[in-house]
Amino acid sequence: MALRGTGADTRGTGTDTRGTGAAPRDTGTAPRGTRTAPQDAGTALARPEEPSAWPEEPSARPEAPFAVRHTGPLRIVRLANFVTPSSGGLRTALHELGRGYRAAGHEPVLIVPGERASVADTEQGLVVTVPGPELPGTGGYRVLADRRRVTRLLERLAPDRLEVSDRTTLRWTGAWARRARVPAAMVSHEAADAVMRTWGLPPRLARRTADSLNSRTAHAYARVVCTTEWAEREFVRIGASNVVRAPLGVDLRDRHPGLRDAWLRAAHAREGDALLLLCSRLSVEKQPGRALDALEELRARGVRAVLVVAGDGPLRPRLEQRAGERRLPVTFLGHVAERAALGALQATADVCLAPGPCETFGLAALEALACGTPVVASASSALPEIVGGAGAVAADTADAFADAVQAVLDRPERDRRQAARARAEGFGWDTAVTAFLAAHDTGAQQALGAVALPGHGGGG
């Protein structure tokens, strides 16, 4: 993708894929259809470590006329917080969607917070890292806190579409998009009321607070994208009519039963042991302690089971202490950075546990299914939609999870593993990318003129 205003092409093609041949503008006030960008935009991107390279005031967009592009390559600028090198599902989703957008001929740009500024051209498109503060107690998560800097960057990128993966600290970008005449979508990656309940809020208060938050979110964006019917419910409850559904997916070539590794199994479990796996961030909303409680209950019933935990987070020290005090056979691997190694774990386990009660999709669980490993998931989450009959769901108690694990293990191994893989084959990333692009393109003209869009709840 060519950096606007410089003629530099970071993709090595020597051309600007946006395809107009327009010279960089001097005024910063050309209509959107001219496909140009404010002067010095490329300089600012190429040298993000020098804020002095950015003008003090962003160039203003024209009030009228303007044109919304529906055909040809679209520059889809994506904003996300809470993404780190050790992130799980959100990081994977951003990467795969960006790669899909690029393969479809569009120009994805991802803006994320980090320790220092950088720009990288990757297979998912341009990734721009903006310095952001680290949130205490989150295990390294950062946020895009400098609104002025992000605003200037958005002005220079001049997106055709905006996609935001944070409904709280980045909700202000919905107002920016409306002023800039850019169709914008917010992707709901968590259920607000469910998260608040895991924080200890009483159910009624959590629901009222979530309804207020979701109402503001629905009014801020042209579209709200939900990945499951379960995630959509909290917006249906408040009467939002601009909600569309688009599933996430799994790389079926990268995750498959052939990754099963007898040596790896022998390293973690003895002959006759049931090997349980938890792939999760170790934080309150994921409820990782329930996996340990289920393991303890299984062993109390005489089931020879061991647990491997792939993931890190602020609860890890407490969980390690609990496992030690209860003499539970738990191996904490921390973050497993290499995807092949994580895939081997997912394919080698007998059962993957997904105890998080507020999961809106569950990418790690879907990856396990693709590897032929059945999943036991929280009945309170969206995962029953994903797992189907390729595993089991359980109430949020140790007893219920132990019952579900035993029920899965009682099935013939070949049958349960074939069912898991067959279920995952309905969730390819191609389907997800098509659905997300449809969410961006459909009704874009109406989206600029009204908050509430028709067509609520369309399947993606």
Side-chain angles (χ1 to χ4, degrees), residues 171-219:
R171 191 171 60 237
W172 64 270
T173 60
W176 177 88
R178 186 180 299 270
R179 292 192 301 270
R181 316 289 181 91
V182 177
M186 189 282 295
V187 184
S188 177
H189 290 285
E190 68 286 313
D193 54 351
V195 171
M196 291 177 191
R197 287 196 301 271
T198 67
W199 293 346
L201 266 69
R204 291 183 65 182
L205 177 58
R207 178 168 175 158
R208 288 200 305 270
T209 305
D211 286 351
S212 176
L213 171 65
N214 291 333
S215 294
R216 293 196 296 272
T217 296
H219 281 275

Side-chain angles (χ1 to χ4, degrees), residues 81-84 113-114 132-145 166 168-169 199 281 314:
N81 279 328
F82 313 112
V83 182
T84 69
E134 184 174 327
L135 295 181
T138 64
Y141 280 156
R142 296 177 182 272
V143 294
L144 295 164
D166 180 3
T168 53
T169 63
W199 293 346
R281 178 170 170 77

